[in-house]
Each structure stands twice: as structure tokens, then as C-alpha cells.
Amino acid sequence: MYHYYSYFRYIHYRLALPGSSFINRICPDWKMIPELSKPSVYIKDRQKVEKILTAMRQTGPSAVQVISDFDMTLTRFAYNGKRCPTCHNILDNSKLISEDCKAELADLLKTYYPIEIDSTRPVEEKLPLMVEWWTKAHHILVQQRIRKDLLAVVVQESDAMLRDGYQLFFNHLQEHDVPLLIFSAGIGDILEEVIRQAGVFHPNVKVFSNYMEFNDTGVLQGFKGELIHVYNKHEGALLNSSHFQELKQRHNVLLLGDSLGDLSMADGVPDLENILKIGYLNDKVEERRESYLSSYDIVLEKDETMDVPNAILLHITGSK
């Protein structure tokens, strides 16, 4: 009995290894997407992933929609060893913000970011703290009297970068009329400008985020609607139920995120049949790997590219 137990433990261990050729001998179809054998790829249940991929390919692009986070999911986490800015960071680091304001925002980041990524804390405990963080940050930004007409310049001068392969990702979705819904706890005005300047803000892209509210002279006076943070995207998904109803024939979802809070972004999708969840694990890798493997179908560890999502999209649309 011990030998059988040891053998199955060995099988399970090999299946979870990134880049393992062992899986190809069990599931020959896996070779159709060689990118899933990259060293950065971790998959806990490969049989489940293969089943979902097969179902999605059979129904094709007309039945799929993509729901994605933005910061550190569609954008790079780092470049040449240096952290890339999020939507908030783009403003924080700009000339529009005073040095005192920058120091206040940096203190907030130092206080709350470790809480956001702490896998030992329950979400219920994090929720009020995330609301506290973003409410304070937005209040500080409003005090800076930011001008709307300067946002494009701020983005242009920033170090913001979409992940390698973003052109194929956005353009392929557009070519096959696949809707892309971006859920972001960032700043929608900045987010849209990043995509616009990259030349990929196509008509199939819809953004759900925190948008600035400007007065008649174009000066920031507040933020519109309910606050969106990383752990209330479930509510955002339900608020977007009308959007999902328009796409009710699209029962398959490709979900991209970089936090456990992103997993609820598809909660408003009616009659969901298949969902493939891809998670970018960018930071605190060792301590968070297990929780990501238990939550996401595919985990991309320190991977700054869109290689895997692109390969999966090409597979689903029959282009590969």
C-alpha cells in the first residue's frame, strides 16, 4: 500500500511542476499549447485545465469573453529590476503632485500594501482597511487640484508598460470580436490613457474603475460613484450585470488577475459554463504560491509577458 501511495504522491508532484514534459506523455493534446510548459507556469490540476481548454475551443470565440484586472496584470510588475508604476503611482510620481503629497501617499503604500498581499489575513479583515487606504489616497489627490488636460502628458512621461505581447492580446480580441472587460481598483482616466497611447483601446474594450470627477474648469474635485478596491470586485461584477446580460450568449470566461480579490470579477456572468482563471504571481512568491495554486487554474510566476494568455486565445479561436 505504501508503494502505491508514494507513486501517486510522485505523480501529483510532477504534474504541479512548471515546464514538466511528464505531462505530455499523459495528455498528448497538451503539446498544442507549448507555452504551458514554460518554467514560469504552475498548474495544480492539469486535467481540469485541459478539459476547460477543450470545451472553449469547441465553442470558439463567439462564446468567450475576457475579464481582466489591469495594474500588474495587463501591465508589467517590473522592468530591468525596477518596479513599474500602477495607475495611482503614475500620478503619485508626477510633477502634478507636491513632495509633501508624495510622502503621504508613500506612507499609505508602506502601511496598506503589505496588508493587501498578506495571504494569512482573511478578506473580511482586509476590506475596511482597503477602503480606508483608497479613501485617504483619493482625498489627498483631490487636494492637489489636478488638471484634466495634463493627464495625457503625465502618462506619456511615466514608466508605465503593458506586458510584452500586449499588441497581439488586444488586437486578436478585437479581430475576433471578443469583449474585454477590465476591472481595476486604479484610476480609470489614467488606465484608459495608458491603453490609448499604446494604440490598443479598441471598441471591444470596456473599463470599470475609479473615475475622476472634474469641475467646469477641468480641475479634479472628487471621484465618481462607489469606491472600487481590490477586494470588492464582486460587487462591481454584480453592478455590471447589465453588461453581462448583453453578452449572455458568451458562457465561457478567460479571467486574468494578480490578486485573490480578482477571482470574483466574473460573478455577474449569467449561465457561466466554463471559466479559466490565470493568475500572475508577481511578489512574495514563496509565501503566496500555495494560495494562488489553490485558487487559480494557471499561475504565472514572475512572468512579465502575455505569452500564455495569447497562446490560449490563439488556441480557443482556432488560430493555432
Side-chain angles (χ1 to χ4, degrees), residues 66 70 74 162 165-182 191-208 211 243 310 313:
V66 178
F70 187 71
L74 296 181
L162 294 170
Y166 74 87
Q167 297 100 329
L168 174 59
F169 178 78
F170 282 91
N171 293 340
H172 194 70
L173 291 177
Q174 167 69 4
E175 290 166 7
H176 289 270
D177 296 318
V178 176
L180 168 60
L181 175 61
I182 300 176
L191 186 164
E192 288 191 6
E193 192 59 37
V194 171
I195 301 175
R196 188 176 293 110
Q197 291 188 17
V200 290
F201 198 175
H202 301 309
N204 65 315
V205 178
K206 179 180 174 64
V207 179
F208 185 70
Y211 279 90
H243 166 80
N310 283 340
L313 285 172

Short mmCIF file of all heavy atoms in Angstrom, two decimals, residues 66 70 74 162 165-182 191-208 211 243 310 313:
data_model
loop_
_atom_site.label_atom_id
_atom_site.label_comp_id
_atom_site.label_asym_id
_atom_site.label_seq_id
_atom_site.Cartn_x
_atom_site.Cartn_y
_atom_site.Cartn_z
N VAL A 66 -13.41 37.97 -22.18
CA VAL A 66 -12.23 38.07 -21.32
C VAL A 66 -12.50 39.12 -20.26
O VAL A 66 -12.96 40.23 -20.56
CB VAL A 66 -10.97 38.45 -22.13
CG1 VAL A 66 -9.76 38.59 -21.21
CG2 VAL A 66 -10.70 37.39 -23.20
N PHE A 70 -6.13 45.17 -14.30
CA PHE A 70 -5.21 45.99 -15.11
C PHE A 70 -3.81 46.09 -14.52
O PHE A 70 -2.87 45.51 -15.05
CB PHE A 70 -5.79 47.39 -15.31
CG PHE A 70 -4.97 48.22 -16.28
CD1 PHE A 70 -4.99 47.92 -17.64
CD2 PHE A 70 -4.19 49.28 -15.84
CE1 PHE A 70 -4.23 48.67 -18.54
CE2 PHE A 70 -3.44 50.04 -16.73
CZ PHE A 70 -3.45 49.73 -18.08
N LEU A 74 -2.30 43.30 -16.78
CA LEU A 74 -2.05 43.69 -18.16
C LEU A 74 -0.80 44.56 -18.26
O LEU A 74 -0.20 44.67 -19.33
CB LEU A 74 -3.26 44.43 -18.74
CG LEU A 74 -4.55 43.60 -18.85
CD1 LEU A 74 -5.66 44.44 -19.46
CD2 LEU A 74 -4.32 42.34 -19.68
N LEU A 162 2.78 48.14 -20.61
CA LEU A 162 1.96 46.94 -20.76
C LEU A 162 2.89 45.74 -20.93
O LEU A 162 4.04 45.89 -21.34
CB LEU A 162 1.03 47.08 -21.96
CG LEU A 162 -0.04 48.17 -21.85
CD1 LEU A 162 -0.74 48.38 -23.19
CD2 LEU A 162 -1.07 47.80 -20.78
N GLY A 165 3.88 41.46 -25.49
CA GLY A 165 2.87 40.70 -26.21
C GLY A 165 1.48 41.32 -26.13
O GLY A 165 0.51 40.72 -26.58
N TYR A 166 1.40 42.52 -25.57
CA TYR A 166 0.08 43.16 -25.40
C TYR A 166 -0.59 43.46 -26.74
O TYR A 166 -1.82 43.40 -26.84
CB TYR A 166 0.21 44.44 -24.57
CG TYR A 166 0.81 45.62 -25.29
CD1 TYR A 166 0.02 46.49 -26.04
CD2 TYR A 166 2.19 45.87 -25.23
CE1 TYR A 166 0.58 47.57 -26.70
CE2 TYR A 166 2.75 46.96 -25.88
CZ TYR A 166 1.95 47.80 -26.62
OH TYR A 166 2.50 48.86 -27.29
N GLN A 167 0.21 43.79 -27.77
CA GLN A 167 -0.40 44.10 -29.07
C GLN A 167 -1.20 42.93 -29.59
O GLN A 167 -2.34 43.08 -30.04
CB GLN A 167 0.67 44.50 -30.10
CG GLN A 167 1.46 45.75 -29.76
CD GLN A 167 2.81 45.41 -29.16
OE1 GLN A 167 2.96 44.38 -28.48
NE2 GLN A 167 3.79 46.26 -29.41
N LEU A 168 -0.60 41.72 -29.54
CA LEU A 168 -1.29 40.53 -30.00
C LEU A 168 -2.55 40.28 -29.17
O LEU A 168 -3.61 39.96 -29.71
CB LEU A 168 -0.36 39.31 -29.92
CG LEU A 168 -0.98 37.94 -30.24
CD1 LEU A 168 -1.55 37.94 -31.65
CD2 LEU A 168 0.05 36.83 -30.08
N PHE A 169 -2.44 40.47 -27.88
CA PHE A 169 -3.57 40.23 -26.97
C PHE A 169 -4.76 41.13 -27.34
O PHE A 169 -5.87 40.64 -27.62
CB PHE A 169 -3.13 40.49 -25.54
CG PHE A 169 -4.23 40.34 -24.51
CD1 PHE A 169 -4.63 39.09 -24.09
CD2 PHE A 169 -4.85 41.46 -23.96
CE1 PHE A 169 -5.64 38.94 -23.14
CE2 PHE A 169 -5.85 41.33 -23.01
CZ PHE A 169 -6.25 40.07 -22.60
N PHE A 170 -4.55 42.44 -27.34
CA PHE A 170 -5.63 43.37 -27.63
C PHE A 170 -6.14 43.25 -29.07
O PHE A 170 -7.35 43.28 -29.31
CB PHE A 170 -5.18 44.81 -27.36
CG PHE A 170 -5.16 45.20 -25.91
CD1 PHE A 170 -4.02 45.03 -25.13
CD2 PHE A 170 -6.30 45.73 -25.31
CE1 PHE A 170 -4.01 45.40 -23.80
CE2 PHE A 170 -6.29 46.10 -23.97
CZ PHE A 170 -5.14 45.92 -23.21
N ASN A 171 -5.22 43.15 -30.00
CA ASN A 171 -5.60 43.12 -31.42
C ASN A 171 -6.33 41.83 -31.79
O ASN A 171 -7.27 41.86 -32.59
CB ASN A 171 -4.37 43.32 -32.30
CG ASN A 171 -3.78 44.71 -32.17
OD1 ASN A 171 -4.45 45.64 -31.73
ND2 ASN A 171 -2.52 44.86 -32.52
N HIS A 172 -5.89 40.71 -31.22
CA HIS A 172 -6.54 39.43 -31.53
C HIS A 172 -7.96 39.40 -30.99
O HIS A 172 -8.88 38.91 -31.66
CB HIS A 172 -5.73 38.27 -30.95
CG HIS A 172 -6.11 36.94 -31.49
ND1 HIS A 172 -5.85 36.56 -32.79
CD2 HIS A 172 -6.77 35.89 -30.93
CE1 HIS A 172 -6.30 35.34 -33.00
NE2 HIS A 172 -6.88 34.92 -31.88
N LEU A 173 -8.17 39.96 -29.80
CA LEU A 173 -9.52 40.03 -29.26
C LEU A 173 -10.41 40.89 -30.14
O LEU A 173 -11.57 40.55 -30.41
CB LEU A 173 -9.48 40.61 -27.84
CG LEU A 173 -8.84 39.74 -26.75
CD1 LEU A 173 -8.80 40.48 -25.42
CD2 LEU A 173 -9.61 38.43 -26.60
N GLN A 174 -9.88 42.01 -30.60
CA GLN A 174 -10.64 42.90 -31.48
C GLN A 174 -10.98 42.21 -32.80
O GLN A 174 -12.11 42.28 -33.28
CB GLN A 174 -9.84 44.19 -31.73
CG GLN A 174 -10.34 45.06 -32.86
CD GLN A 174 -11.69 45.72 -32.57
OE1 GLN A 174 -12.24 45.59 -31.48
NE2 GLN A 174 -12.21 46.43 -33.55
N GLU A 175 -10.00 41.55 -33.40
CA GLU A 175 -10.20 40.89 -34.69
C GLU A 175 -11.28 39.81 -34.63
O GLU A 175 -11.99 39.58 -35.61
CB GLU A 175 -8.88 40.28 -35.17
CG GLU A 175 -7.85 41.32 -35.59
CD GLU A 175 -6.45 40.73 -35.73
OE1 GLU A 175 -6.32 39.49 -35.63
OE2 GLU A 175 -5.49 41.51 -35.92
N HIS A 176 -11.41 39.16 -33.48
CA HIS A 176 -12.39 38.08 -33.34
C HIS A 176 -13.63 38.52 -32.56
O HIS A 176 -14.43 37.66 -32.14
CB HIS A 176 -11.73 36.87 -32.66
CG HIS A 176 -10.74 36.16 -33.54
ND1 HIS A 176 -11.09 35.13 -34.39
CD2 HIS A 176 -9.41 36.37 -33.74
CE1 HIS A 176 -10.03 34.72 -35.06
NE2 HIS A 176 -8.99 35.45 -34.68
N ASP A 177 -13.79 39.84 -32.38
CA ASP A 177 -14.97 40.39 -31.71
C ASP A 177 -15.19 39.79 -30.32
O ASP A 177 -16.34 39.52 -29.92
CB ASP A 177 -16.22 40.18 -32.57
CG ASP A 177 -16.15 40.94 -33.88
OD1 ASP A 177 -15.69 42.10 -33.87
OD2 ASP A 177 -16.53 40.37 -34.92
N VAL A 178 -14.11 39.57 -29.60
CA VAL A 178 -14.20 39.05 -28.23
C VAL A 178 -14.17 40.23 -27.25
O VAL A 178 -13.22 41.01 -27.25
CB VAL A 178 -13.03 38.09 -27.91
CG1 VAL A 178 -13.09 37.64 -26.45
CG2 VAL A 178 -13.07 36.88 -28.84
N PRO A 179 -15.21 40.39 -26.43
CA PRO A 179 -15.25 41.52 -25.49
C PRO A 179 -14.18 41.39 -24.40
O PRO A 179 -13.91 40.29 -23.90
CB PRO A 179 -16.65 41.41 -24.87
CG PRO A 179 -17.42 40.51 -25.78
CD PRO A 179 -16.43 39.57 -26.37
N LEU A 180 -13.59 42.52 -24.05
CA LEU A 180 -12.62 42.58 -22.96
C LEU A 180 -13.14 43.57 -21.93
O LEU A 180 -13.28 44.76 -22.20
CB LEU A 180 -11.25 43.04 -23.47
CG LEU A 180 -10.20 43.42 -22.41
CD1 LEU A 180 -9.90 42.23 -21.49
CD2 LEU A 180 -8.91 43.92 -23.07
N LEU A 181 -13.45 43.07 -20.73
CA LEU A 181 -13.89 43.92 -19.63
C LEU A 181 -12.73 44.02 -18.65
O LEU A 181 -12.24 43.02 -18.13
CB LEU A 181 -15.11 43.33 -18.93
CG LEU A 181 -15.58 44.07 -17.68
CD1 LEU A 181 -15.99 45.51 -18.01
CD2 LEU A 181 -16.73 43.34 -17.00
N ILE A 182 -12.29 45.25 -18.40
CA ILE A 182 -11.19 45.48 -17.47
C ILE A 182 -11.76 46.02 -16.16
O ILE A 182 -12.38 47.08 -16.13
CB ILE A 182 -10.16 46.48 -18.04
CG1 ILE A 182 -9.56 45.93 -19.35
CG2 ILE A 182 -9.06 46.76 -17.02
CD1 ILE A 182 -8.61 46.91 -20.03
N LEU A 191 -5.82 54.78 -16.62
CA LEU A 191 -5.84 53.46 -17.27
C LEU A 191 -6.16 53.60 -18.76
O LEU A 191 -5.44 53.05 -19.61
CB LEU A 191 -6.88 52.58 -16.57
CG LEU A 191 -7.03 51.12 -16.94
CD1 LEU A 191 -7.81 50.39 -15.85
CD2 LEU A 191 -7.73 50.90 -18.27
N GLU A 192 -7.22 54.32 -19.07
CA GLU A 192 -7.62 54.48 -20.47
C GLU A 192 -6.54 55.18 -21.28
O GLU A 192 -6.31 54.84 -22.45
CB GLU A 192 -8.94 55.26 -20.56
CG GLU A 192 -10.15 54.49 -20.09
CD GLU A 192 -11.46 55.19 -20.44
OE1 GLU A 192 -11.41 56.24 -21.14
OE2 GLU A 192 -12.53 54.71 -20.01
N GLU A 193 -5.88 56.13 -20.66
CA GLU A 193 -4.83 56.87 -21.37
C GLU A 193 -3.63 55.97 -21.67
O GLU A 193 -3.02 56.08 -22.74
CB GLU A 193 -4.38 58.08 -20.55
CG GLU A 193 -3.51 59.06 -21.30
CD GLU A 193 -4.18 59.65 -22.54
OE1 GLU A 193 -5.40 59.90 -22.50
OE2 GLU A 193 -3.48 59.85 -23.56
N VAL A 194 -3.30 55.06 -20.76
CA VAL A 194 -2.21 54.10 -21.00
C VAL A 194 -2.53 53.23 -22.21
O VAL A 194 -1.70 53.05 -23.11
CB VAL A 194 -1.98 53.21 -19.76
CG1 VAL A 194 -1.01 52.07 -20.09
CG2 VAL A 194 -1.44 54.03 -18.59
N ILE A 195 -3.76 52.72 -22.27
CA ILE A 195 -4.16 51.87 -23.38
C ILE A 195 -4.24 52.68 -24.68
O ILE A 195 -3.84 52.21 -25.75
CB ILE A 195 -5.52 51.20 -23.10
CG1 ILE A 195 -5.44 50.36 -21.83
CG2 ILE A 195 -5.95 50.32 -24.26
CD1 ILE A 195 -6.78 49.78 -21.41
N ARG A 196 -4.77 53.89 -24.57
CA ARG A 196 -4.91 54.75 -25.75
C ARG A 196 -3.54 55.07 -26.36
O ARG A 196 -3.35 54.99 -27.57
CB ARG A 196 -5.65 56.02 -25.37
CG ARG A 196 -6.02 56.91 -26.55
CD ARG A 196 -6.82 58.12 -26.11
NE ARG A 196 -8.15 57.73 -25.61
CZ ARG A 196 -8.53 57.80 -24.34
NH1 ARG A 196 -7.70 58.26 -23.42
NH2 ARG A 196 -9.74 57.43 -23.99
N GLN A 197 -2.58 55.43 -25.52
CA GLN A 197 -1.26 55.77 -26.02
C GLN A 197 -0.51 54.56 -26.57
O GLN A 197 0.38 54.70 -27.40
CB GLN A 197 -0.44 56.45 -24.91
CG GLN A 197 -0.97 57.83 -24.55
CD GLN A 197 -0.06 58.60 -23.59
OE1 GLN A 197 1.10 58.26 -23.41
NE2 GLN A 197 -0.60 59.65 -22.98
N ALA A 198 -0.92 53.36 -26.12
CA ALA A 198 -0.33 52.13 -26.67
C ALA A 198 -0.98 51.74 -27.99
O ALA A 198 -0.53 50.80 -28.66
CB ALA A 198 -0.46 50.99 -25.65
N GLY A 199 -2.06 52.44 -28.36
CA GLY A 199 -2.71 52.19 -29.64
C GLY A 199 -3.61 50.97 -29.66
O GLY A 199 -3.88 50.42 -30.74
N VAL A 200 -4.10 50.55 -28.47
CA VAL A 200 -4.91 49.32 -28.43
C VAL A 200 -6.25 49.51 -27.71
O VAL A 200 -6.87 48.54 -27.27
CB VAL A 200 -4.13 48.16 -27.77
CG1 VAL A 200 -2.99 47.70 -28.68
CG2 VAL A 200 -3.60 48.55 -26.39
N PHE A 201 -6.71 50.76 -27.60
CA PHE A 201 -8.01 51.00 -26.97
C PHE A 201 -9.10 50.80 -28.02
O PHE A 201 -9.65 51.76 -28.58
CB PHE A 201 -8.07 52.40 -26.38
CG PHE A 201 -9.17 52.58 -25.35
CD1 PHE A 201 -9.29 53.78 -24.65
CD2 PHE A 201 -10.08 51.58 -25.07
CE1 PHE A 201 -10.30 53.96 -23.71
CE2 PHE A 201 -11.08 51.73 -24.13
CZ PHE A 201 -11.19 52.94 -23.45
N HIS A 202 -9.43 49.55 -28.27
CA HIS A 202 -10.38 49.19 -29.33
C HIS A 202 -11.83 49.26 -28.81
O HIS A 202 -12.07 49.28 -27.59
CB HIS A 202 -10.09 47.78 -29.83
CG HIS A 202 -8.70 47.61 -30.39
ND1 HIS A 202 -8.18 48.47 -31.34
CD2 HIS A 202 -7.72 46.69 -30.13
CE1 HIS A 202 -6.95 48.08 -31.65
NE2 HIS A 202 -6.64 47.02 -30.93
N PRO A 203 -12.80 49.27 -29.72
CA PRO A 203 -14.22 49.36 -29.32
C PRO A 203 -14.71 48.20 -28.47
O PRO A 203 -15.73 48.33 -27.77
CB PRO A 203 -14.95 49.37 -30.67
CG PRO A 203 -13.95 49.90 -31.65
CD PRO A 203 -12.62 49.36 -31.18
N ASN A 204 -14.03 47.06 -28.49
CA ASN A 204 -14.47 45.91 -27.71
C ASN A 204 -14.02 45.98 -26.25
O ASN A 204 -14.34 45.08 -25.45
CB ASN A 204 -13.93 44.61 -28.33
CG ASN A 204 -12.41 44.52 -28.26
OD1 ASN A 204 -11.71 45.49 -28.57
ND2 ASN A 204 -11.90 43.37 -27.84
N VAL A 205 -13.29 47.04 -25.87
CA VAL A 205 -12.77 47.18 -24.51
C VAL A 205 -13.71 48.04 -23.67
O VAL A 205 -14.06 49.16 -24.06
CB VAL A 205 -11.35 47.82 -24.52
CG1 VAL A 205 -10.84 48.00 -23.10
CG2 VAL A 205 -10.39 46.96 -25.33
N LYS A 206 -14.11 47.52 -22.51
CA LYS A 206 -14.92 48.27 -21.55
C LYS A 206 -14.16 48.30 -20.23
O LYS A 206 -13.62 47.28 -19.80
CB LYS A 206 -16.29 47.61 -21.36
CG LYS A 206 -17.18 48.34 -20.35
CD LYS A 206 -18.53 47.63 -20.20
CE LYS A 206 -19.38 48.26 -19.11
NZ LYS A 206 -19.77 49.64 -19.40
N VAL A 207 -14.13 49.47 -19.59
CA VAL A 207 -13.38 49.64 -18.34
C VAL A 207 -14.32 49.95 -17.19
O VAL A 207 -15.20 50.82 -17.30
CB VAL A 207 -12.33 50.76 -18.47
CG1 VAL A 207 -11.57 50.95 -17.15
CG2 VAL A 207 -11.35 50.45 -19.61
N PHE A 208 -14.15 49.25 -16.08
CA PHE A 208 -14.89 49.51 -14.85
C PHE A 208 -13.87 49.85 -13.79
O PHE A 208 -13.09 49.00 -13.36
CB PHE A 208 -15.72 48.29 -14.46
CG PHE A 208 -16.59 48.51 -13.27
CD1 PHE A 208 -17.70 49.34 -13.34
CD2 PHE A 208 -16.32 47.90 -12.06
CE1 PHE A 208 -18.52 49.55 -12.24
CE2 PHE A 208 -17.13 48.10 -10.95
CZ PHE A 208 -18.23 48.93 -11.04
N TYR A 211 -13.20 56.59 -11.54
CA TYR A 211 -13.03 57.71 -12.48
C TYR A 211 -13.05 59.05 -11.75
O TYR A 211 -13.82 59.27 -10.82
CB TYR A 211 -14.12 57.68 -13.54
CG TYR A 211 -13.82 56.70 -14.65
CD1 TYR A 211 -14.25 55.38 -14.57
CD2 TYR A 211 -13.09 57.08 -15.77
CE1 TYR A 211 -13.97 54.46 -15.56
CE2 TYR A 211 -12.80 56.17 -16.78
CZ TYR A 211 -13.23 54.86 -16.68
OH TYR A 211 -12.94 53.95 -17.66
N HIS A 243 -24.20 44.75 -18.31
CA HIS A 243 -23.16 44.50 -19.32
C HIS A 243 -23.09 43.01 -19.62
O HIS A 243 -23.03 42.60 -20.78
CB HIS A 243 -21.82 45.00 -18.80
CG HIS A 243 -20.63 44.51 -19.60
ND1 HIS A 243 -20.25 45.09 -20.80
CD2 HIS A 243 -19.77 43.48 -19.38
CE1 HIS A 243 -19.19 44.44 -21.27
NE2 HIS A 243 -18.88 43.46 -20.44
N ASN A 310 -1.99 34.76 -24.56
CA ASN A 310 -2.05 34.84 -26.02
C ASN A 310 -2.14 33.46 -26.65
O ASN A 310 -2.92 33.24 -27.58
CB ASN A 310 -0.81 35.57 -26.56
CG ASN A 310 -0.91 37.08 -26.38
OD1 ASN A 310 -1.99 37.62 -26.20
ND2 ASN A 310 0.22 37.75 -26.43
N LEU A 313 -5.62 32.13 -26.16
CA LEU A 313 -6.57 32.80 -27.06
C LEU A 313 -6.44 32.28 -28.48
O LEU A 313 -7.44 32.05 -29.15
CB LEU A 313 -6.36 34.30 -27.02
CG LEU A 313 -6.88 35.03 -25.77
CD1 LEU A 313 -6.44 36.49 -25.78
CD2 LEU A 313 -8.40 34.94 -25.70
#
